[in-house]
Structures are given as structure tokens and as C-alpha cells.
Amino acid sequence: MPDVARGASGRTADSWDLLYRAAGEGEPLSGYYHRNYRVGLPPDLAAAVSLPAGTPVKVRAPIPEAVQFNLRIWPEGELLRAIAGRVDGSPRVLADRPGFTVHSFAQGVPLSGRYGAGRRPGRGYTARLEALFRQTAAVPSHALPPLPGGWPADGDCGGFLRTLVDFTESEVKGRSSRAHQELFAALGVGDGALGRLRERAAGLGERPFTLLHTDSHAGNLIVGPDGELSLIDWELALYGDPVYEIAAHLGRMRYATGRRRRAALRAWRSAVAVSCPGALSGHRGALRVYLDFERLLSVHIDVIRLTLALPHRAGPVELMATAERILVLLAAARGPLGLRRVPDAERIAAACAVWQRNERDVTRMWNGRAETGVLTYEQTHSQRSSPSGPQPKRNVVEEPRKWFDAVRTAKGPDLGSLSE
């Protein structure tokens, strides 16, 4: 753990701002939307939050240039304060500042790091996973931060799925570059798949909404020293159909065997049978729909991520490695995509090479939002019409589609204005 009690200037880090600056001198931990730094608390700050000096904490700063792919409805800090004491091991917010936050550090190692791909999670894992599902679903709605205006009404599962699909069409697929749109066409990813999925929303039925983490993959599940399990990175939490929680978990965990998938599904069923019995109404059919959505979402997100991660002037080896990973995505989503045949790796690599030649035409996607500058639709328009400055920060917005247009990630260090 890096010693950040003093910054480069030699001054003791006796304020959160100085701690952040000193932490930034170290190597960040992995994270797609945030740079995360594990540091020890200097004595003054430790005393301020009633922790022993040297206690490890996580300094967490949004990456403004990160391509945003996921729907968010709450600033993470507000949600964490709402679930404190309700979900075991959820991070404690120690400081919330413009540009960064400081969270308590989950002791242990990620499930992915401890067991690796394809290995058994360990004895007691299923029971601990069930406890996390049960506690998350049991968080009462009145304890949560305000929902965006126009958010689907409690129980409107079809409306919830349509919101997910609308966001994917508008903010992921719709804002991809022309080069990426041409790549998707070459791969056989047409325009109708998301529309067909939206039509299936009418058959989802009604189930009471619950809090959803939506991103409980192996990197966000932390195994503690005594085997306890905790869940971190709540930035993508939503309020909606509880069946989506297990669909997202199964889609993103990618269990190595059907037996492990079935065990996780049983854990979720047992959890919601206690916390939210109505969640089991019609859940089998709904799970198939949400799994198809997760497969489509993975194609639209991961193809972009994989190609953006290609080195400049990638050669045949790099292109083929990327093509083989894209092939897996397309094969998994063959049904909802409506593909009669999945293109082979050679054809995919050739399409990626064409994309790379057009890379100079790629426009960076600026969508989603940064955690530190939540701007509503109302605020956006009031700021444009009134130069007197930003209005107080709020969560509530009016209409989801206008909201999509209002929550682009802001450029610049102060996050004070929306990018055009």
C-alpha cells in the first residue's frame, strides 16, 4: 500500500484534498469509469472519521474521458449512504468532494483474483451470495435517493425494460461513431434486434421493484479474510424489476458450468422469497428476456471497448485476438440478434482492420454522466437561459428521453457545463 501521508511537496496530507493529490502520485487500481487508489489514512484524517491511523481507504476519481455505456440514476455516494447498515460490507463514504470521493476499503480480494476464471468460488459462496441478494432486495424504497421524474412506476416491468432498451439505443448504439456503425453492419448486427426485444416487454408482467446493483460480477465481489462476501462499486445501481438483478449477475459472472449458474439462480430465488416474494411471479419467462437483453448489451458495449483497446496500427495477431473475443460475443447473442450464421474470426478480423483504417474518423462518445456534476434537464435549460450560475444539485428529472439528452458527461475539470 503506497505511503501517501505526504505529497510530493512534503506537506502532511491533513485534508482530503491533499490526500487526493498525494494518492494521485501512485499507480491507480483497475477501474473503467474511475481511477481508484488504495491508500492509508494519515493520523489527522483517521481521527476525523474515527478510524485507526493507517487504515486503508479507496480514493475514487471519475475518468472524464471514459466512454459511458451504462444507465445511472443516482450519484454513488448518495446511494451508499442510503444502504449503509443495510447491505453487509457496502463501502462507507468518508469524504465526498468535487472531483473525487473517499470510501472505506473492502478487506479481501476480488472473487476474480482469488479463484481465477473457471475455478470454484469456494465453500459457503452460494449462501453468502444469497445474503447479498436478500439484503439488497430488502432495502426499502423510502430509504433510497429520489428517482428521476418519469421513471417507470413500481411494478411496471415492461416500462423498466423499455427504459433499458431506449437508453441502449440512444446512448450506446445511437452515439457510436460512423466507423463503429459500419463495423456493426459488417458483423451482421442489424438495427432490429433491440426493437424486437422492446416488443417483448409487453409480456413481462408485474413485479414489485427493488434496489438492483446490476453489476455483481467477479471483480466487484470481494472475498474477505474469513470468507465473507461484500459488494463494491454501486455506481450503476437502479430501481426496477428484481429479475434483472439475477440476469445481470448471470450474464456478467459467466459461470464456467451450468451447475454453478443454477446454484446462483437458486440463491437469488431463496433471497427474494424472503425479501420480496412477488419477485418470483413469472420470473422464468422474464429471465429469458433479460438474459437476451444482457447479450445484446454486451455486443454493443464490448465490441466498442475491444476495438478502442486495440493498439495503434494493430497487426494480424492483435486483430485476430480481438476477433476471437468478438466471435464469442456474437455466438452468445446469435438468437436475439437474429443471425443465421455467425461470421468467422477471419471475417471479423478483416472488419476490425477496416474499422482501424477509419479510426481517424472516430468521434469520442460523450454520454452518461460524471458522478460529481449531476445536471438535470431543467437545470441544463435554466443555465443556458440564465448566466447567473448553476442551480443546486438535484437528482430528479422530468422525462427519461429528455434526460438522456441532459446527462452527457461534462468535459473539463470543473464539470460545470455540458458538452455539445
Side-chain angles (χ1 to χ4, degrees):
M1 180 173 60
D3 179 5
V4 296
R6 294 179 181 272
S9 65
R11 180 178 176 182
T12 300
D14 56 0
S15 74
W16 297 114
D17 287 331
L18 285 175
L19 183 74
Y20 167 58
R21 292 171 192 166
E25 297 167 7
E27 186 71 22
L29 304 174
S30 62
Y32 186 79
Y33 291 127
H34 288 80
R35 292 185 177 93
N36 300 301
Y37 303 88
R38 183 176 184 262
V39 301
L41 275 181
D44 288 352
L45 293 180
V49 292
S50 302
L51 290 172
T55 297
V57 297
K58 180 190 288 187
V59 179
R60 189 162 163 81
I63 302 174
E65 66 272 18
V67 180
Q68 302 289 320
F69 293 112
N70 299 99
L71 177 60
R72 309 186 205 184
I73 62 174
W74 297 308
E76 186 180 21
E78 292 188 21
L79 190 276
L80 288 176
R81 283 187 283 269
I83 66 174
R86 300 179 186 273
V87 181
D88 290 344
S90 58
R92 174 187 169 192
V93 180
L94 304 177
D96 195 348
R97 297 289 188 272
F100 72 96
T101 57
V102 182
H103 295 171
S104 61
F105 198 90
Q107 295 299 305
V109 296
L111 188 66
S112 56
R114 179 168 180 173
Y115 299 105
R119 295 184 62 185
R120 183 175 179 178
R123 179 173 295 183
Y125 164 77
T126 302
R128 294 182 176 99
L129 181 66
E130 178 183 332
L132 287 177
F133 282 143
R134 182 177 65 252
Q135 292 166 0
T136 301
V139 176
S141 59
H142 65 77
L144 298 172
L147 290 166
W151 191 253
D154 189 2
D156 182 9
C157 297
F160 175 73
L161 176 60
R162 285 190 291 270
T163 299
L164 297 179
V165 172
D166 286 348
F167 185 86
T168 304
E169 282 196 325
S170 171
E171 303 301 287
V172 181
K173 180 176 177 291
R175 294 191 175 273
S176 59
S177 67
R178 176 174 295 181
H180 272 120
Q181 291 171 4
E182 292 172 351
L183 173 61
F184 280 122
L187 297 177
V189 180
D191 295 331
L194 288 169
R196 291 191 296 272
L197 191 69
R198 186 187 289 106
E199 293 173 358
R200 296 167 68 185
L204 282 182
E206 295 185 1
R207 284 169 293 278
F209 281 9
T210 63
L211 172 65
L212 315 173
H213 181 280
T214 82
D215 201 26
S216 54
H217 58 72
N220 285 339
L221 288 164
I222 306 300
V223 183
D226 297 325
E228 65 274 18
L229 199 64
S230 58
L231 192 52
I232 61 171
D233 289 6
W234 287 79
E235 61 187 326
L236 306 184
L238 299 174
Y239 184 70
D241 187 347
V243 180
Y244 183 54
E245 182 79 308
I246 183 60
H249 175 75
L250 293 176
R252 301 177 193 198
M253 273 293 294
R254 298 178 181 176
Y255 287 106
T257 66
R259 181 173 60 84
R260 294 179 197 171
R261 288 171 58 86
R262 290 189 294 272
L265 179 57
R266 286 195 298 271
W268 174 82
R269 286 174 179 158
S270 297
V272 297
V274 174
S275 296
C276 182
L280 295 175
S281 174
H283 75 277
R284 290 181 176 85
L287 179 57
R288 288 191 290 270
V289 175
Y290 284 118
L291 286 173
D292 280 349
F293 170 74
E294 279 292 296
R295 294 178 183 113
L296 291 177
L297 183 65
S298 180
V299 168
H300 284 93
I301 290 177
D302 292 335
V303 167
I304 294 174
R305 282 181 171 171
L306 288 168
T307 50
L308 289 178
L310 278 168
H312 185 60
R313 300 182 185 276
V317 173
E318 294 91 350
L319 288 169
M320 183 56 68
T322 296
E324 289 172 350
R325 296 181 67 180
I326 292 175
L327 175 59
V328 173
L329 300 173
L330 295 176
R334 178 179 177 179
L337 283 172
L339 290 178
R340 292 185 177 181
R341 293 182 59 187
V342 176
D344 57 29
E346 288 76 14
R347 179 178 169 186
I348 296 172
C352 290
V354 172
W355 173 85
Q356 190 171 51
R357 287 197 293 272
N358 296 330
E359 186 178 11
R360 63 182 180 275
D361 299 325
V362 173
T363 302
R364 179 69 67 178
M365 296 160 55
W366 291 97
N367 51 15
R369 72 163 184 237
E371 293 295 321
T372 54
V374 179
L375 292 173
T376 71
Y377 175 73
E378 296 170 294
Q379 290 172 341
T380 304
H381 285 264
S382 66
Q383 287 180 22
R384 287 173 179 171
S385 60
S386 172
S388 59
Q391 302 298 314
K393 189 165 68 174
R394 298 172 60 229
N395 284 335
V396 181
V397 293
E398 292 262 331
E399 300 176 39
R401 290 186 181 179
K402 292 181 179 178
W403 177 50
F404 295 164
D405 292 332
V407 295
R408 311 281 179 242
T409 298
K411 295 181 181 179
D414 62 353
L415 303 173
S417 62
L418 297 177
S419 62
E420 297 295 338

